[in-house]
Amino acid sequence: MASNEFSPDALTLLREYVHGGTIMQLATSSPWSAHCWYAADENLNLIFLSKTSRRHSADIMRDSSVSAAIIHQIPTEGPGQKVRGVVLEGSAAQVPSSDLDVAYEIFARRWRSARSVPAIDVLREPGGLDKLWRIVPRAFVFFDEVDFPGSPRQEFLSW
């Protein structure tokens, strides 16, 4: 289903799912994947904290193309259980200093411990290892067998 054909109900559920998620499985071009705590802004851009010394961060600095899966903590029963999930593709980069205060506030509102792990002053250090990163999605795929059993795959393109 293309972006101009999606169900408004699916878009609402996508927003709820992305904002309610806890960890994303981030995949980079090397290939590599990493679990990252994230927060979403009003445009569903994903903000996460990572050290520049991590492999996924180094990959992003070489090639900004990423994909991610949003992970929720749900009881798993096994094969046959109805599935609901979100995957996305987009571009990732360090949050520029001009946007750092807003991005930090979004992340810190979602994760209260973020105000001390690390403090924003640490993130501002030019040579520091700790940085905030932002993924700007190009496309989402929302897969929901619970609410859309007849057509569970909903694509949101040209995001």
Side-chain angles (χ1 to χ4, degrees):
M1 189 176 279
S3 63
N4 59 351
E5 302 171 20
F6 61 79
S7 157
D9 293 337
L11 180 58
T12 298
L13 288 171
L14 171 72
R15 288 185 173 285
E16 288 175 13
Y17 204 91
V18 171
H19 281 285
T22 55
I23 297 173
M24 69 173 158
Q25 181 70 39
L26 173 68
T28 61
S29 62
S30 70
W32 188 250
S33 63
H35 290 88
C36 301
W37 298 98
Y38 78 92
D41 69 14
E42 66 279 354
N43 296 315
L44 300 184
N45 296 316
L46 305 183
I47 299 162
F48 65 99
L49 179 67
S50 186
K51 294 184 181 303
T52 57
S53 59
R54 302 279 193 242
R55 181 171 172 180
H56 58 274
S57 298
D59 286 347
I60 290 167
M61 288 185 277
R62 280 191 304 277
D63 182 346
S64 64
S65 296
V66 297
S67 63
I70 305 295
I71 299 172
H72 281 255
Q73 295 181 0
I74 59 169
T76 54
E77 300 163 12
Q81 178 179 358
K82 295 203 181 292
V83 174
R84 182 188 276 170
V86 173
V87 294
L88 64 101
E89 67 176 273
S91 297
Q94 286 182 29
V95 173
S97 58
S98 59
D99 296 342
L100 190 57
D101 289 333
V102 171
Y104 186 80
E105 190 57 34
I106 290 166
F107 191 78
R109 262 195 317 259
R110 180 71 169 103
W111 305 110
R112 296 295 180 198
S113 64
R115 293 199 189 278
S116 60
V117 188
I120 193 164
D121 292 338
V122 172
L123 298 174
R124 284 194 177 105
E125 294 174 10
L129 290 178
D130 294 302
K131 298 296 177 190
L132 273 182
W133 302 78
R134 177 173 36 221
I135 298 173
V136 177
R138 281 189 294 275
F140 285 95
V141 173
F142 181 51
F143 191 86
D144 184 350
E145 292 178 316
V146 175
D147 295 300
F148 302 97
S151 181
R153 188 176 194 281
Q154 309 258 342
E155 286 189 37
F156 298 86
L157 306 174
S158 302
W159 196 253

